[in-house]
Amino acid sequence: MLKQILSKLPRKSQKSDSLDSAGLDSGNHTSNSSNGVQCTNIGNSITSRLSVVKRVSSAVFPASIMAGVEAVEPNLSFKDISNPQKQNLFISKLNLCCEVSDFSDPEKASSEQDLKRQTLIELVDFVSSGSAKFNEPAVAAMCKMCAVNLFRVFPPKYRSNTSSGEAEDDEPMFDPAWSNLQLVYDLLLRFISYSSLDAKVAKKHVDHSFILKLLDLFESEDPRERDCLKTILHRIYGKFMVHRPFVRKAVSNIIYRFVFETERHNGIAELLEIFGSIISGFAIPLKEEHKMFLCRALIPLHKPKSIGVYHQQLTYCVVQFVDKDQKLANNVIKGLLKYWPITNSQKELMFISELEEILEMTNMVEFQKIMVPVFRRIACCLNSSHYQVAERAHLLWNNEHILNLITHNRHVIFPLIFPSLEQNSQNHWNQAVLNLTQNIRKMFCEMDEELLLACQRKLEEENSQLIEAAEKRKLAWEHLETTAAAFQPAATNNVPPVKPATPLVAC
């Protein structure tokens, strides 16, 4: 049985063996250069085929992938060769671009850099033309060229005094090699977006290792590079469905490390912008995996001090989740209250704005579950000595949906808010806040005057009770002081006076 199976397997023909040996023999008689090789004639049967081509070395690409692949002289133009050879010329030009140049010194611009730049421009134009269907060797060559040029270790960060890699007030740092990197990124983006690219073939080379190294590049301090990476990663996520769970997990790990370990990363805003688009495409009902991402990754992102860099993107992601499932509003608001800032007024303003957006999407049932802790926190914001925080908290009443929620639950919310309004009207220093406080009191009065009066009577009773308690404490302390004074003379007679010690001065 085994012999029958083996006998049916295809065997390599003698013709191909002789052709391979002829190609290798001819390579020994050719003159080599750094950019390509021109082959000599070895026979009438293959003269036309090997006039300008040579077998690619197995050292450049694996033999299993490069079987039957021929590299054309890379200095040739795509217009000067036939269509069957354009794939081989494409690979040869990619191989030429694997040489890494030093762009740290702008005065050292060499002819090699100019040649590489011109070659990259030709490759971008060729991919943009859409006239080719790339095979596996071409995909492998593309991934290798991108890995050589893009994947690198960034220098140490000298901004040690900031809590994040790129704070809001820092000047962005630009990579001196961006003119070269931009062409490579543009080529990779057009290649990934190519409509005829076979995802089943490309996924063998655009694998998990390739994606992880792409994610590492989000640490770049150049915002132009992070913007290109954002677009490329989004295209990879859309084209390779098999890699989607891995991308989500890898990004989650980056967020975990940022929140719980380093609080340093330059690309959190870009990663969240990608996920904002991804979350909007989640199917309903949401998977448990997606809910865990919200609770374990997105909500803890409110903790770092550098939230101002990415808060807009974070709010968009959170709102997308609440829009998909309103029951998640309870978890999100509890997370906001957990990480609510106490001494950082600018961060508190961001939290109030995000809270308003979430409450605007919350239904009555979910609102009633969290309205007590929410309006306790809002009451504190109304009394804030920072006028912007107090003013922003008052402006919540301008939102019609939130005002409707308050109106239907006024018997619970009024008693929580009224003491803060009363304290503002008596003690707050800012005139704008005083005016807003009076407007809300007037609104409450028009809404339910009896409830407002009841809250006022209750506040007066509580104040009188506080005054009575203060008087009792004062009397208790006076009694203790009187009792202690009665025993003081006897105690002072028994204790001899203590002379102050003379300090010793060392000479």
Side-chain angles (χ1 to χ4, degrees):
M1 180 64 70
L2 182 61
K3 292 181 179 180
Q4 293 177 358
I5 295 174
L6 294 176
S7 63
K8 294 180 180 180
L9 294 175
R11 298 181 179 179
K12 189 174 182 181
S13 62
Q14 295 181 357
K15 182 178 180 180
S16 61
D17 293 338
S18 62
L19 183 59
D20 290 345
S21 60
L24 291 175
D25 292 338
S26 65
N28 295 330
H29 298 285
T30 58
S31 57
N32 297 332
S33 63
S34 60
N35 294 328
V37 181
Q38 183 177 3
C39 298
T40 58
N41 297 332
I42 61 172
N44 295 330
S45 61
I46 57 173
T47 300
S48 60
R49 183 180 179 187
L50 296 180
S51 57
V52 290
V53 299
K54 180 187 176 184
R55 184 73 58 182
V56 176
S57 173
S58 60
V60 178
F61 301 107
S64 59
I65 298 177
M66 298 307 302
V69 175
E70 297 170 347
V72 180
E73 170 69 30
N75 291 329
L76 295 175
S77 173
F78 285 104
K79 299 178 182 179
D80 298 337
I81 61 173
S82 60
N83 288 332
Q85 293 181 352
K86 286 184 178 180
Q87 288 270 344
N88 301 330
L89 178 60
F90 179 75
I91 296 175
S92 297
K93 288 182 178 293
L94 289 173
N95 186 30
L96 176 65
C97 293
C98 287
E99 296 293 333
V100 180
S101 303
D102 183 16
F103 291 86
S104 58
D105 189 354
E107 298 180 358
K108 293 183 179 180
S110 62
S111 58
E112 294 181 358
Q113 295 179 5
D114 296 337
L115 176 62
K116 181 178 180 179
R117 179 178 177 81
Q118 186 61 37
T119 305
L120 286 171
I121 293 174
E122 292 179 6
L123 291 171
V124 170
D125 293 338
F126 176 70
V127 175
S128 301
S129 65
S131 60
K133 185 175 181 180
F134 299 106
N135 51 23
E136 186 172 356
V139 175
M142 170 63 71
C143 293
K144 177 186 176 183
M145 191 276 295
C146 292
V148 170
N149 286 275
L150 299 179
F151 300 158
R152 61 204 189 280
V153 179
F154 294 108
K157 296 173 183 174
Y158 298 103
R159 297 170 179 173
S160 58
N161 58 334
T162 59
S163 59
S164 65
E166 183 178 334
E168 291 178 282
D169 299 331
D170 285 333
E171 290 289 335
M173 296 182 64
F174 299 107
D175 197 315
W178 176 245
S179 59
N180 174 66
L181 294 174
Q182 185 180 18
L183 289 172
V184 179
Y185 278 121
D186 191 19
L187 178 60
L188 178 59
L189 175 60
R190 294 176 186 273
F191 188 80
I192 294 296
S193 305
Y194 198 72
S195 58
S196 300
L197 181 64
D198 189 356
K200 293 181 180 179
V201 175
K203 71 179 182 181
K204 300 177 183 178
H205 305 282
V206 184
D207 54 3
H208 291 179
S209 176
F210 188 89
I211 293 173
L212 282 177
K213 291 177 181 177
L214 271 181
L215 288 172
D216 290 339
L217 294 177
F218 278 93
E219 277 280 16
S220 171
E221 297 198 18
D222 194 329
R224 301 169 299 181
E225 182 171 12
R226 298 198 303 269
D227 191 63
C228 290
L229 287 166
K230 174 187 66 178
T231 308
I232 291 171
L233 183 63
H234 190 262
R235 296 293 175 87
I236 290 176
Y237 187 90
K239 196 174 192 70
F240 302 97
M241 296 185 64
V242 67
H243 291 331
R244 290 183 179 181
F246 178 79
V247 172
R248 293 195 297 266
K249 183 178 179 181
V251 174
S252 298
N253 291 335
I254 292 175
I255 294 176
Y256 296 153
R257 188 165 183 263
F258 169 72
V259 174
F260 301 109
E261 293 182 15
T262 64
E263 289 197 8
R264 272 185 169 276
H265 199 284
N266 293 318
I268 296 296
E270 287 78 10
L271 292 174
L272 289 176
E273 192 170 344
I274 296 171
F275 260 83
S277 177
I278 293 173
I279 294 167
S280 64
F282 283 165
I284 301 176
L286 292 173
K287 296 180 180 179
E288 193 64 27
E289 171 201 349
H290 304 329
K291 296 180 182 179
M292 296 301 291
F293 176 75
L294 169 67
C295 297
R296 294 184 177 180
L298 294 185
I299 292 178
L301 273 174
H302 292 84
K303 176 185 175 182
K305 297 178 182 179
S306 58
I307 185 176
V309 178
Y310 56 83
H311 182 258
Q312 182 180 358
Q313 293 83 356
L314 176 60
T315 301
Y316 181 78
C317 292
V318 171
V319 168
Q320 289 295 315
F321 268 109
V322 177
D323 186 33
K324 296 282 184 180
D325 187 356
Q326 291 192 353
K327 293 181 179 180
L328 296 174
N330 193 2
N331 296 331
V332 172
I333 293 177
K334 286 181 178 179
L336 281 176
L337 297 176
K338 177 181 178 182
Y339 297 111
W340 198 277
I342 304 300
T343 59
N344 191 336
S345 300
Q346 295 302 318
K347 189 175 178 181
E348 196 167 8
L349 288 171
M350 299 177 198
F351 274 51
I352 296 174
S353 299
E354 184 175 355
L355 179 63
E356 181 179 5
E357 291 194 40
I358 297 170
L359 289 177
E360 194 172 0
M361 305 182 66
T362 306
N363 57 30
M364 188 66 67
V365 177
E366 297 300 323
F367 175 77
Q368 291 174 347
K369 295 178 182 178
I370 42 85
M371 61 182 177
V372 173
V374 166
F375 278 88
R376 281 177 180 166
R377 174 53 59 187
I378 292 176
C380 295
C381 295
L382 292 173
N383 283 142
S384 175
S385 58
H386 194 287
Y387 77 97
Q388 289 181 334
V389 174
E391 187 176 359
R392 186 64 184 86
H394 282 81
L395 293 178
L396 291 174
W397 271 259
N398 292 346
N399 190 299
E400 294 183 2
H401 181 73
I402 297 177
L403 182 60
N404 182 54
L405 295 174
I406 294 173
T407 304
H408 284 82
N409 299 276
R410 58 184 180 274
H411 293 282
V412 177
I413 296 175
F414 275 18
L416 298 173
I417 296 298
F418 186 80
S420 298
L421 297 176
E422 191 69 17
Q423 184 178 351
N424 270 1
S425 61
Q426 296 176 2
N427 301 322
H428 206 282
W429 63 273
N430 187 268
Q431 187 61 42
V433 174
L434 289 174
N435 295 336
L436 291 171
T437 299
Q438 294 301 324
N439 291 338
I440 293 179
R441 282 176 61 92
K442 183 179 179 181
M443 191 184 303
F444 280 175
C445 185
E446 294 174 355
M447 194 181 300
D448 195 336
E449 186 176 0
E450 293 182 1
L451 181 58
L452 184 65
L453 294 175
C455 292
Q456 189 169 2
R457 287 193 299 268
K458 183 179 179 181
L459 180 62
E460 291 175 355
E461 291 175 1
E462 291 177 352
N463 289 337
S464 62
Q465 291 175 0
L466 290 175
I467 293 173
E468 291 177 3
E471 287 293 333
K472 289 181 180 180
R473 284 197 300 272
K474 182 179 179 181
L475 293 174
W477 278 108
E478 289 178 354
H479 177 70
L480 288 173
E481 290 174 356
T482 304
T483 306
F487 293 95
Q488 190 172 359
T492 53
N493 293 333
N494 297 331
V495 179
V498 180
K499 296 181 179 180
T502 304
L504 300 178
V505 180
C507 298

